[in-house]
Amino acid sequence: MSIRRLRSNPKTLGDVNMVTGELRNLYYKRLLPIEKYYSFHHFHSPSYEDADFDNKPMVLVMGQYSTGKTTFIRYLIEQDFPGSRVGPEPTTDCFTALMYGEVEGIIPGNALTVDPKKPFRNLDPFGNAFLNRFQCVQMPNKVLESVSIIDTPGILTAAKRKLSRGYDFPAVLRWFAERVDRIILLFDAHKLEFSDELTRAFGALCGHEDKLRVVLNKADRVDSQQLMRVYGALMWSLGKVFRTPEILRVYIGSFWSEPRQMCDHYQLIEMEEEDLLADIRNLPRNAAVRKLNDLVKRARLVRAHAHIISYLKQEMPTIFCKESKKHNLIYQLPVIFTKIQQQHRVPAGDFPDCTKMQEKLLGQDFSKFKTLKPSLMASLDKLLTTDIANLVPLLQQQELRKKSLHGVLDGDFLGTFRPEHYRRDPFKEPPRDDESSEADFDEWAVEKFKPKYDEIFYNLSPSEGKLSGTKVREWMTTTLLPNSVLAHIWRLSDVDGDGMLDNEEFALAVHLIEGKLEGHWLPRELPSHLVPPSKRLSTASDEE
């Protein structure tokens, strides 16, 4: 398969940018004036900025400590990142945003809140206690060109729940949950435990269940009977926390790039891996739809908020007994919600959480509230009824072109989720110096290992000098490497793209597998010194 197929269609990306540009204009023109007029940001989330519309899709990775969050991220980007540590103890103690950058570097939290190009300026109210535990890692990685990933501190278990973080952890999670495109929640199949902090973290995700994907990780370390029991216990526990009629999607897997342990449910793990990676692959394509959906949800909440503030203002006395009337109105807020629903036909699902709204109202001066302004409400109604509807044709055009748009991961070859960088890599092309001869430089790096690789090749009974994809796959799966890694090795080895491997291509595939089993990263594209000699002429002509 040509690498060119994996690049995004510029016309489709133009449609996406056009939709997000129109959404930004509608927000500033229709919605922001109402938010300011009724002090929406004092009660709910801060106002949107340009970066909220322009940023790439974001994936929030969360879970208890030692569930494999950082390893999962390294599995996705096939690369270590600065500040990452892996271990059985709580190793990640801060929020880390992994974003694309031409030069690798770390930006501290306080600097991020003043950068208008980053979507983190509204994190400033959480204070230094949080910002000192927040950083952005920029790195030139192929995956991060299309998505950004947020790594989170491990959620504390019951034994450590008395420890204080110094900032409102659930509130920070809620801030990110409102803005990300996907939330990956990891559990360890070995130690399924629901602590107090985990329950509070679930509360921060309420209202965003559509973004949530649950992963039961390290499933190859338990047998099928244990897995069935753990899966049932997890579903039962999630049902108690997320009181929704829909069942949350739970992926069973072992998400890392090392060989998995052989188990009865090995094939299930492979299928679940492909499903989850396909879901992440679609995020760049669906970014505009998600932003439109979030804007509509926000507009409906703003409408309900405006009616609540206006009602409270109208009920307040002009001179006497203001404080007692204020507390009485706060106490009667559930009844007020019902009255507004009936009088203005505002759906019950558009209203904020009543208890949280009551807590916010306690510190407010009701005399500064404002009544309904017809022109602003008419503008909001136009946004919801007309303006958003006019954007639907653009989204439909985008849907029609989806087949020509390949996301981060190609559906046929999942393993293209790989970077340009290498770690002490035997696959990396050696530098050429003045003393090295042309013959030395052109020597095939696999040649000295080829006799033992040929023995495996001919034991697999090639037909007309080539092995079919089916035979190669059957042999490759015996290495217990994840399908995503094997698929990438196949793409690198099938140099001529005929769907079969000759003895040189097969030797290359075995060489790449051995290197991966030793812990090396795979190259995203095949270096010239690894191209089989018989394929070098055709490869060079293709590049021309």
Side-chain angles (χ1 to χ4, degrees), residues 248-307:
L248 290 175
R249 177 69 160 93
V250 176
Y251 295 87
I252 299 171
S254 181
F255 292 94
W256 65 336
S257 298
E258 305 305 318
R260 300 191 179 108
Q261 291 187 7
M262 180 54 71
C263 54
D264 294 338
H265 45 276
Y266 190 88
Q267 187 175 5
L268 172 65
I269 290 176
E270 289 184 339
M271 294 169 63
E272 294 283 277
E273 173 198 31
E274 293 178 7
D275 286 349
L276 181 60
L277 294 183
D279 183 74
I280 297 174
R281 182 179 70 247
N282 288 329
L283 291 180
R285 303 193 297 184
N286 298 328
V289 178
R290 196 273 303 172
K291 290 173 182 175
L292 184 145
N293 183 61
D294 286 352
L295 185 67
V296 172
K297 285 168 61 176
R298 187 180 182 91
R300 298 173 78 92
L301 179 60
V302 168
R303 180 176 61 183
H305 175 79
H307 283 293

Short mmCIF file of all heavy atoms in Angstrom, two decimals, residues 248-307:
data_model
loop_
_atom_site.label_atom_id
_atom_site.label_comp_id
_atom_site.label_asym_id
_atom_site.label_seq_id
_atom_site.Cartn_x
_atom_site.Cartn_y
_atom_site.Cartn_z
N LEU A 248 -22.45 0.74 28.63
CA LEU A 248 -21.18 1.29 28.18
C LEU A 248 -20.39 0.24 27.40
O LEU A 248 -20.42 -0.94 27.73
CB LEU A 248 -20.36 1.77 29.37
CG LEU A 248 -20.87 3.01 30.11
CD1 LEU A 248 -20.01 3.27 31.34
CD2 LEU A 248 -20.87 4.22 29.20
N ARG A 249 -19.70 0.68 26.38
CA ARG A 249 -18.86 -0.22 25.58
C ARG A 249 -17.58 -0.50 26.34
O ARG A 249 -16.84 0.41 26.71
CB ARG A 249 -18.55 0.42 24.22
CG ARG A 249 -17.61 -0.40 23.33
CD ARG A 249 -18.29 -1.66 22.86
NE ARG A 249 -17.66 -2.23 21.69
CZ ARG A 249 -16.70 -3.16 21.71
NH1 ARG A 249 -16.28 -3.64 22.86
NH2 ARG A 249 -16.19 -3.62 20.58
N VAL A 250 -17.31 -1.76 26.61
CA VAL A 250 -16.10 -2.19 27.31
C VAL A 250 -15.24 -3.00 26.36
O VAL A 250 -15.70 -4.00 25.80
CB VAL A 250 -16.44 -3.00 28.58
CG1 VAL A 250 -15.16 -3.50 29.24
CG2 VAL A 250 -17.26 -2.17 29.56
N TYR A 251 -14.00 -2.55 26.15
CA TYR A 251 -13.06 -3.26 25.28
C TYR A 251 -12.15 -4.13 26.15
O TYR A 251 -11.61 -3.67 27.16
CB TYR A 251 -12.20 -2.27 24.49
CG TYR A 251 -12.98 -1.44 23.50
CD1 TYR A 251 -13.58 -0.25 23.90
CD2 TYR A 251 -13.11 -1.83 22.18
CE1 TYR A 251 -14.29 0.52 23.00
CE2 TYR A 251 -13.83 -1.07 21.27
CZ TYR A 251 -14.42 0.11 21.69
OH TYR A 251 -15.13 0.88 20.80
N ILE A 252 -11.99 -5.36 25.76
CA ILE A 252 -11.12 -6.30 26.48
C ILE A 252 -9.82 -6.41 25.70
O ILE A 252 -9.81 -6.73 24.51
CB ILE A 252 -11.79 -7.68 26.60
CG1 ILE A 252 -13.09 -7.57 27.40
CG2 ILE A 252 -10.85 -8.68 27.26
CD1 ILE A 252 -13.92 -8.82 27.38
N GLY A 253 -8.70 -6.12 26.37
CA GLY A 253 -7.45 -6.16 25.61
C GLY A 253 -6.22 -6.17 26.49
O GLY A 253 -6.29 -6.22 27.72
N SER A 254 -5.08 -6.10 25.82
CA SER A 254 -3.78 -5.97 26.48
C SER A 254 -2.99 -5.01 25.62
O SER A 254 -2.35 -5.41 24.64
CB SER A 254 -3.08 -7.33 26.58
OG SER A 254 -1.84 -7.20 27.22
N PHE A 255 -3.10 -3.72 25.95
CA PHE A 255 -2.65 -2.68 25.05
C PHE A 255 -1.22 -2.25 25.36
O PHE A 255 -0.98 -1.32 26.13
CB PHE A 255 -3.62 -1.49 25.11
CG PHE A 255 -4.96 -1.82 24.55
CD1 PHE A 255 -5.98 -2.25 25.37
CD2 PHE A 255 -5.21 -1.75 23.19
CE1 PHE A 255 -7.23 -2.58 24.87
CE2 PHE A 255 -6.45 -2.09 22.66
CZ PHE A 255 -7.46 -2.50 23.50
N TRP A 256 -0.28 -2.96 24.76
CA TRP A 256 1.12 -2.58 24.72
C TRP A 256 1.75 -3.28 23.54
O TRP A 256 1.16 -4.16 22.93
CB TRP A 256 1.81 -2.89 26.04
CG TRP A 256 1.91 -4.34 26.43
CD1 TRP A 256 1.11 -5.37 26.04
CD2 TRP A 256 2.89 -4.91 27.31
NE1 TRP A 256 1.51 -6.54 26.63
CE2 TRP A 256 2.60 -6.28 27.42
CE3 TRP A 256 3.95 -4.38 28.04
CZ2 TRP A 256 3.36 -7.14 28.20
CZ3 TRP A 256 4.71 -5.24 28.83
CH2 TRP A 256 4.41 -6.60 28.89
N SER A 257 2.98 -2.87 23.20
CA SER A 257 3.61 -3.35 21.97
C SER A 257 4.44 -4.60 22.16
O SER A 257 5.06 -5.08 21.22
CB SER A 257 4.49 -2.23 21.38
OG SER A 257 3.71 -1.12 21.04
N GLU A 258 4.47 -5.13 23.38
CA GLU A 258 5.25 -6.33 23.64
C GLU A 258 4.41 -7.59 23.38
O GLU A 258 3.19 -7.52 23.30
CB GLU A 258 5.74 -6.31 25.10
CG GLU A 258 6.51 -5.06 25.47
CD GLU A 258 7.69 -4.81 24.55
OE1 GLU A 258 8.38 -5.79 24.21
OE2 GLU A 258 7.91 -3.66 24.16
N PRO A 259 5.08 -8.75 23.24
CA PRO A 259 4.32 -9.99 23.00
C PRO A 259 3.34 -10.27 24.13
O PRO A 259 3.65 -10.10 25.30
CB PRO A 259 5.42 -11.06 22.94
CG PRO A 259 6.65 -10.32 22.54
CD PRO A 259 6.53 -8.96 23.16
N ARG A 260 2.16 -10.71 23.75
CA ARG A 260 1.14 -11.05 24.75
C ARG A 260 1.31 -12.50 25.20
O ARG A 260 1.89 -13.32 24.50
CB ARG A 260 -0.26 -10.87 24.15
CG ARG A 260 -0.56 -9.46 23.67
CD ARG A 260 -2.04 -9.33 23.35
NE ARG A 260 -2.34 -7.98 22.90
CZ ARG A 260 -2.64 -7.66 21.65
NH1 ARG A 260 -2.66 -8.60 20.73
NH2 ARG A 260 -2.92 -6.41 21.33
N GLN A 261 0.76 -12.77 26.38
CA GLN A 261 0.75 -14.16 26.84
C GLN A 261 -0.35 -14.92 26.08
O GLN A 261 -1.44 -14.39 25.87
CB GLN A 261 0.48 -14.21 28.34
CG GLN A 261 1.62 -13.66 29.18
CD GLN A 261 1.40 -13.89 30.66
OE1 GLN A 261 0.47 -14.56 31.07
NE2 GLN A 261 2.28 -13.31 31.48
N MET A 262 -0.05 -16.14 25.69
CA MET A 262 -1.05 -16.95 24.99
C MET A 262 -2.15 -17.35 25.97
O MET A 262 -1.89 -17.74 27.10
CB MET A 262 -0.39 -18.20 24.39
CG MET A 262 -1.38 -19.09 23.65
SD MET A 262 -2.34 -18.19 22.37
CE MET A 262 -1.05 -17.93 21.15
N CYS A 263 -3.39 -17.19 25.53
CA CYS A 263 -4.54 -17.50 26.38
C CYS A 263 -5.69 -17.97 25.49
O CYS A 263 -5.65 -17.82 24.26
CB CYS A 263 -4.96 -16.30 27.22
SG CYS A 263 -5.27 -14.80 26.26
N ASP A 264 -6.74 -18.51 26.10
CA ASP A 264 -7.88 -19.02 25.34
C ASP A 264 -8.60 -17.90 24.58
O ASP A 264 -9.22 -18.15 23.54
CB ASP A 264 -8.86 -19.73 26.28
CG ASP A 264 -8.27 -21.00 26.89
OD1 ASP A 264 -7.30 -21.52 26.28
OD2 ASP A 264 -8.74 -21.43 27.95
N HIS A 265 -8.58 -16.69 25.13
CA HIS A 265 -9.31 -15.58 24.52
C HIS A 265 -8.37 -14.65 23.74
O HIS A 265 -8.61 -13.45 23.62
CB HIS A 265 -10.05 -14.78 25.60
CG HIS A 265 -9.23 -14.48 26.82
ND1 HIS A 265 -9.09 -15.37 27.86
CD2 HIS A 265 -8.49 -13.40 27.15
CE1 HIS A 265 -8.31 -14.84 28.78
NE2 HIS A 265 -7.93 -13.65 28.38
N TYR A 266 -7.30 -15.20 23.20
CA TYR A 266 -6.32 -14.41 22.45
C TYR A 266 -6.96 -13.74 21.23
O TYR A 266 -6.72 -12.57 20.94
CB TYR A 266 -5.15 -15.29 22.02
CG TYR A 266 -3.98 -14.53 21.44
CD1 TYR A 266 -2.97 -14.05 22.26
CD2 TYR A 266 -3.89 -14.30 20.07
CE1 TYR A 266 -1.89 -13.34 21.73
CE2 TYR A 266 -2.82 -13.60 19.54
CZ TYR A 266 -1.82 -13.12 20.37
OH TYR A 266 -0.76 -12.42 19.84
N GLN A 267 -7.79 -14.49 20.50
CA GLN A 267 -8.43 -13.94 19.31
C GLN A 267 -9.39 -12.81 19.67
O GLN A 267 -9.49 -11.81 18.95
CB GLN A 267 -9.17 -15.04 18.55
CG GLN A 267 -9.72 -14.57 17.21
CD GLN A 267 -10.35 -15.72 16.43
OE1 GLN A 267 -10.45 -16.84 16.92
NE2 GLN A 267 -10.79 -15.44 15.21
N LEU A 268 -10.08 -12.94 20.80
CA LEU A 268 -10.98 -11.88 21.26
C LEU A 268 -10.19 -10.59 21.52
O LEU A 268 -10.63 -9.50 21.15
CB LEU A 268 -11.70 -12.33 22.53
CG LEU A 268 -12.54 -11.26 23.26
CD1 LEU A 268 -13.69 -10.81 22.39
CD2 LEU A 268 -13.02 -11.78 24.59
N ILE A 269 -9.03 -10.72 22.14
CA ILE A 269 -8.19 -9.55 22.42
C ILE A 269 -7.79 -8.86 21.12
O ILE A 269 -7.81 -7.63 21.03
CB ILE A 269 -6.96 -9.98 23.24
CG1 ILE A 269 -7.38 -10.39 24.65
CG2 ILE A 269 -5.92 -8.87 23.29
CD1 ILE A 269 -6.23 -10.91 25.50
N GLU A 270 -7.44 -9.64 20.11
CA GLU A 270 -7.05 -9.05 18.83
C GLU A 270 -8.21 -8.29 18.18
O GLU A 270 -8.03 -7.19 17.66
CB GLU A 270 -6.58 -10.16 17.88
CG GLU A 270 -5.24 -10.77 18.26
CD GLU A 270 -4.78 -11.78 17.23
OE1 GLU A 270 -5.64 -12.29 16.48
OE2 GLU A 270 -3.57 -12.05 17.17
N MET A 271 -9.40 -8.88 18.23
CA MET A 271 -10.57 -8.22 17.62
C MET A 271 -10.92 -6.94 18.38
O MET A 271 -11.27 -5.91 17.76
CB MET A 271 -11.75 -9.18 17.62
CG MET A 271 -11.55 -10.40 16.72
SD MET A 271 -12.81 -11.67 16.97
CE MET A 271 -14.29 -10.79 16.47
N GLU A 272 -10.84 -6.99 19.70
CA GLU A 272 -11.14 -5.80 20.50
C GLU A 272 -10.13 -4.68 20.23
O GLU A 272 -10.47 -3.51 20.19
CB GLU A 272 -11.15 -6.15 21.98
CG GLU A 272 -12.27 -7.11 22.38
CD GLU A 272 -13.61 -6.41 22.48
OE1 GLU A 272 -13.90 -5.81 23.51
OE2 GLU A 272 -14.37 -6.46 21.49
N GLU A 273 -8.87 -5.08 20.05
CA GLU A 273 -7.82 -4.10 19.73
C GLU A 273 -8.15 -3.37 18.43
O GLU A 273 -8.08 -2.14 18.35
CB GLU A 273 -6.48 -4.80 19.62
CG GLU A 273 -5.36 -3.90 19.13
CD GLU A 273 -4.15 -4.67 18.61
OE1 GLU A 273 -4.35 -5.79 18.08
OE2 GLU A 273 -3.03 -4.16 18.71
N GLU A 274 -8.53 -4.11 17.42
CA GLU A 274 -8.84 -3.50 16.13
C GLU A 274 -10.05 -2.58 16.24
O GLU A 274 -10.09 -1.51 15.62
CB GLU A 274 -9.07 -4.59 15.09
CG GLU A 274 -7.82 -5.40 14.77
CD GLU A 274 -8.08 -6.50 13.76
OE1 GLU A 274 -9.20 -6.55 13.23
OE2 GLU A 274 -7.17 -7.31 13.52
N ASP A 275 -11.05 -2.98 17.02
CA ASP A 275 -12.25 -2.13 17.18
C ASP A 275 -11.90 -0.81 17.85
O ASP A 275 -12.37 0.26 17.43
CB ASP A 275 -13.31 -2.86 18.01
CG ASP A 275 -14.00 -3.97 17.23
OD1 ASP A 275 -13.80 -4.03 16.01
OD2 ASP A 275 -14.73 -4.78 17.85
N LEU A 276 -11.09 -0.86 18.91
CA LEU A 276 -10.74 0.37 19.62
C LEU A 276 -9.88 1.28 18.77
O LEU A 276 -10.10 2.50 18.72
CB LEU A 276 -10.02 0.03 20.93
CG LEU A 276 -9.63 1.24 21.79
CD1 LEU A 276 -10.86 2.05 22.19
CD2 LEU A 276 -8.86 0.80 23.03
N LEU A 277 -8.90 0.72 18.07
CA LEU A 277 -8.05 1.54 17.21
C LEU A 277 -8.84 2.15 16.07
O LEU A 277 -8.60 3.28 15.66
CB LEU A 277 -6.89 0.71 16.67
CG LEU A 277 -5.87 0.23 17.71
CD1 LEU A 277 -4.73 -0.51 17.03
CD2 LEU A 277 -5.34 1.38 18.54
N ALA A 278 -9.81 1.42 15.54
CA ALA A 278 -10.68 1.97 14.50
C ALA A 278 -11.50 3.13 15.03
O ALA A 278 -11.72 4.14 14.34
CB ALA A 278 -11.59 0.88 13.94
N ASP A 279 -11.95 3.02 16.28
CA ASP A 279 -12.72 4.11 16.90
C ASP A 279 -11.85 5.36 17.04
O ASP A 279 -12.31 6.47 16.75
CB ASP A 279 -13.22 3.66 18.28
CG ASP A 279 -14.08 4.70 18.95
OD1 ASP A 279 -15.24 4.87 18.53
OD2 ASP A 279 -13.61 5.35 19.90
N ILE A 280 -10.61 5.20 17.46
CA ILE A 280 -9.70 6.35 17.59
C ILE A 280 -9.35 6.90 16.21
O ILE A 280 -9.24 8.12 16.02
CB ILE A 280 -8.43 5.93 18.35
CG1 ILE A 280 -8.79 5.50 19.78
CG2 ILE A 280 -7.42 7.06 18.39
CD1 ILE A 280 -7.63 4.94 20.57
N ARG A 281 -9.20 6.01 15.23
CA ARG A 281 -8.86 6.44 13.88
C ARG A 281 -9.92 7.37 13.29
O ARG A 281 -9.61 8.28 12.52
CB ARG A 281 -8.71 5.20 12.98
CG ARG A 281 -8.31 5.54 11.54
CD ARG A 281 -8.16 4.28 10.70
NE ARG A 281 -9.42 3.62 10.44
CZ ARG A 281 -9.77 2.44 10.91
NH1 ARG A 281 -8.95 1.78 11.70
NH2 ARG A 281 -10.93 1.89 10.62
N ASN A 282 -11.18 7.19 13.69
CA ASN A 282 -12.26 8.00 13.13
C ASN A 282 -12.39 9.37 13.77
O ASN A 282 -13.16 10.20 13.28
CB ASN A 282 -13.60 7.25 13.27
CG ASN A 282 -13.70 6.07 12.33
OD1 ASN A 282 -13.14 6.10 11.23
ND2 ASN A 282 -14.41 5.03 12.74
N LEU A 283 -11.67 9.64 14.83
CA LEU A 283 -11.83 10.92 15.54
C LEU A 283 -11.53 12.13 14.66
O LEU A 283 -12.31 13.09 14.67
CB LEU A 283 -10.95 10.94 16.79
CG LEU A 283 -11.36 9.99 17.92
CD1 LEU A 283 -10.39 10.13 19.08
CD2 LEU A 283 -12.78 10.27 18.38
N PRO A 284 -10.42 12.15 13.89
CA PRO A 284 -10.19 13.33 13.05
C PRO A 284 -11.30 13.57 12.04
O PRO A 284 -11.62 14.71 11.71
CB PRO A 284 -8.86 13.01 12.35
CG PRO A 284 -8.19 12.03 13.25
CD PRO A 284 -9.30 11.20 13.83
N ARG A 285 -11.91 12.51 11.53
CA ARG A 285 -12.98 12.66 10.55
C ARG A 285 -14.24 13.22 11.17
O ARG A 285 -15.00 13.93 10.52
CB ARG A 285 -13.28 11.30 9.90
CG ARG A 285 -12.07 10.67 9.24
CD ARG A 285 -12.45 9.51 8.36
NE ARG A 285 -13.07 8.41 9.09
CZ ARG A 285 -13.41 7.26 8.53
NH1 ARG A 285 -13.19 7.08 7.24
NH2 ARG A 285 -13.97 6.31 9.24
N ASN A 286 -14.47 12.90 12.45
CA ASN A 286 -15.72 13.31 13.10
C ASN A 286 -15.55 14.53 13.99
O ASN A 286 -16.44 14.85 14.78
CB ASN A 286 -16.26 12.15 13.94
CG ASN A 286 -16.60 10.93 13.09
OD1 ASN A 286 -17.00 11.08 11.94
ND2 ASN A 286 -16.42 9.75 13.63
N ALA A 287 -14.41 15.23 13.86
CA ALA A 287 -14.14 16.36 14.74
C ALA A 287 -15.18 17.47 14.58
O ALA A 287 -15.65 18.05 15.57
CB ALA A 287 -12.73 16.90 14.47
N ALA A 288 -15.55 17.78 13.34
CA ALA A 288 -16.51 18.86 13.11
C ALA A 288 -17.88 18.51 13.68
O ALA A 288 -18.57 19.37 14.25
CB ALA A 288 -16.62 19.16 11.61
N VAL A 289 -18.29 17.25 13.56
CA VAL A 289 -19.59 16.82 14.10
C VAL A 289 -19.59 16.95 15.62
O VAL A 289 -20.57 17.41 16.22
CB VAL A 289 -19.88 15.36 13.70
CG1 VAL A 289 -21.19 14.89 14.30
CG2 VAL A 289 -19.91 15.22 12.19
N ARG A 290 -18.48 16.58 16.25
CA ARG A 290 -18.39 16.69 17.71
C ARG A 290 -18.47 18.14 18.16
O ARG A 290 -19.17 18.48 19.13
CB ARG A 290 -17.09 16.05 18.18
CG ARG A 290 -17.04 15.74 19.68
CD ARG A 290 -16.55 16.90 20.52
NE ARG A 290 -15.24 17.36 20.12
CZ ARG A 290 -14.66 18.45 20.61
NH1 ARG A 290 -15.29 19.19 21.49
NH2 ARG A 290 -13.46 18.84 20.17
N LYS A 291 -17.78 19.03 17.46
CA LYS A 291 -17.81 20.46 17.84
C LYS A 291 -19.20 21.05 17.66
O LYS A 291 -19.66 21.86 18.47
CB LYS A 291 -16.77 21.23 17.02
CG LYS A 291 -15.34 20.89 17.42
CD LYS A 291 -14.33 21.54 16.49
CE LYS A 291 -12.91 21.13 16.89
NZ LYS A 291 -11.89 21.62 15.96
N LEU A 292 -19.87 20.65 16.58
CA LEU A 292 -21.24 21.13 16.38
C LEU A 292 -22.15 20.61 17.49
O LEU A 292 -22.98 21.37 18.04
CB LEU A 292 -21.75 20.68 15.01
CG LEU A 292 -23.13 21.18 14.60
CD1 LEU A 292 -23.18 21.43 13.10
CD2 LEU A 292 -24.22 20.17 14.96
N ASN A 293 -22.00 19.34 17.84
CA ASN A 293 -22.83 18.75 18.89
C ASN A 293 -22.60 19.45 20.23
O ASN A 293 -23.55 19.76 20.96
CB ASN A 293 -22.50 17.26 19.02
CG ASN A 293 -23.37 16.56 20.05
OD1 ASN A 293 -24.59 16.52 19.92
ND2 ASN A 293 -22.74 16.01 21.07
N ASP A 294 -21.33 19.74 20.56
CA ASP A 294 -21.02 20.41 21.81
C ASP A 294 -21.56 21.84 21.83
O ASP A 294 -22.02 22.33 22.86
CB ASP A 294 -19.51 20.44 22.04
CG ASP A 294 -18.96 19.08 22.46
OD1 ASP A 294 -19.78 18.17 22.71
OD2 ASP A 294 -17.73 18.93 22.53
N LEU A 295 -21.54 22.51 20.68
CA LEU A 295 -22.06 23.88 20.62
C LEU A 295 -23.57 23.89 20.83
O LEU A 295 -24.11 24.76 21.52
CB LEU A 295 -21.71 24.52 19.27
CG LEU A 295 -22.11 25.99 19.14
CD1 LEU A 295 -21.28 26.85 20.09
CD2 LEU A 295 -21.92 26.48 17.71
N VAL A 296 -24.27 22.92 20.24
CA VAL A 296 -25.72 22.85 20.42
C VAL A 296 -26.06 22.55 21.88
O VAL A 296 -26.97 23.16 22.46
CB VAL A 296 -26.33 21.78 19.48
CG1 VAL A 296 -27.80 21.55 19.80
CG2 VAL A 296 -26.17 22.20 18.02
N LYS A 297 -25.33 21.62 22.51
CA LYS A 297 -25.56 21.33 23.93
C LYS A 297 -25.34 22.57 24.78
O LYS A 297 -26.11 22.86 25.70
CB LYS A 297 -24.62 20.21 24.39
CG LYS A 297 -25.00 18.82 23.91
CD LYS A 297 -23.90 17.82 24.13
CE LYS A 297 -23.55 17.64 25.58
NZ LYS A 297 -22.52 16.58 25.78
N ARG A 298 -24.30 23.32 24.48
CA ARG A 298 -24.01 24.54 25.23
C ARG A 298 -25.11 25.59 25.03
O ARG A 298 -25.53 26.26 25.97
CB ARG A 298 -22.65 25.09 24.80
CG ARG A 298 -22.17 26.28 25.63
CD ARG A 298 -20.82 26.75 25.13
NE ARG A 298 -20.29 27.85 25.92
CZ ARG A 298 -19.51 27.72 26.97
NH1 ARG A 298 -19.13 26.52 27.36
NH2 ARG A 298 -19.06 28.78 27.63
N ALA A 299 -25.58 25.73 23.79
CA ALA A 299 -26.62 26.72 23.49
C ALA A 299 -27.91 26.40 24.24
O ALA A 299 -28.59 27.30 24.75
CB ALA A 299 -26.87 26.77 21.98
N ARG A 300 -28.26 25.13 24.32
CA ARG A 300 -29.47 24.73 25.03
C ARG A 300 -29.33 24.98 26.54
O ARG A 300 -30.28 25.39 27.21
CB ARG A 300 -29.80 23.27 24.75
CG ARG A 300 -30.07 22.98 23.28
CD ARG A 300 -30.22 21.50 23.01
NE ARG A 300 -31.53 21.02 23.43
CZ ARG A 300 -32.59 20.96 22.64
NH1 ARG A 300 -32.52 21.38 21.39
NH2 ARG A 300 -33.74 20.51 23.09
N LEU A 301 -28.12 24.76 27.07
CA LEU A 301 -27.88 25.05 28.48
C LEU A 301 -27.93 26.56 28.74
O LEU A 301 -28.47 27.00 29.76
CB LEU A 301 -26.52 24.49 28.89
CG LEU A 301 -26.08 24.73 30.34
CD1 LEU A 301 -27.08 24.13 31.32
CD2 LEU A 301 -24.68 24.18 30.59
N VAL A 302 -27.39 27.34 27.81
CA VAL A 302 -27.44 28.81 27.94
C VAL A 302 -28.89 29.29 27.95
O VAL A 302 -29.26 30.17 28.74
CB VAL A 302 -26.64 29.48 26.81
CG1 VAL A 302 -26.93 30.98 26.77
CG2 VAL A 302 -25.15 29.23 26.98
N ARG A 303 -29.72 28.72 27.10
CA ARG A 303 -31.14 29.11 27.06
C ARG A 303 -31.82 28.82 28.39
O ARG A 303 -32.54 29.68 28.94
CB ARG A 303 -31.86 28.38 25.93
CG ARG A 303 -33.34 28.73 25.80
CD ARG A 303 -33.97 28.04 24.61
NE ARG A 303 -33.90 26.58 24.73
CZ ARG A 303 -34.34 25.75 23.79
NH1 ARG A 303 -34.86 26.24 22.66
NH2 ARG A 303 -34.25 24.44 23.95
N ALA A 304 -31.61 27.63 28.94
CA ALA A 304 -32.20 27.30 30.24
C ALA A 304 -31.65 28.22 31.33
O ALA A 304 -32.40 28.68 32.20
CB ALA A 304 -31.90 25.84 30.58
N HIS A 305 -30.36 28.51 31.28
CA HIS A 305 -29.74 29.39 32.28
C HIS A 305 -30.35 30.79 32.23
O HIS A 305 -30.61 31.40 33.29
CB HIS A 305 -28.23 29.47 32.02
CG HIS A 305 -27.51 30.42 32.90
ND1 HIS A 305 -27.16 30.13 34.20
CD2 HIS A 305 -27.06 31.69 32.67
CE1 HIS A 305 -26.52 31.16 34.73
NE2 HIS A 305 -26.46 32.13 33.82
N ALA A 306 -30.57 31.31 31.03
CA ALA A 306 -31.15 32.65 30.89
C ALA A 306 -32.55 32.71 31.51
O ALA A 306 -32.90 33.68 32.20
CB ALA A 306 -31.21 33.04 29.41
N HIS A 307 -33.35 31.68 31.31
CA HIS A 307 -34.70 31.65 31.90
C HIS A 307 -34.63 31.55 33.43
O HIS A 307 -35.43 32.19 34.13
CB HIS A 307 -35.48 30.47 31.33
CG HIS A 307 -36.01 30.69 29.94
ND1 HIS A 307 -36.98 31.62 29.67
CD2 HIS A 307 -35.68 30.10 28.76
CE1 HIS A 307 -37.25 31.60 28.36
NE2 HIS A 307 -36.48 30.70 27.79
#
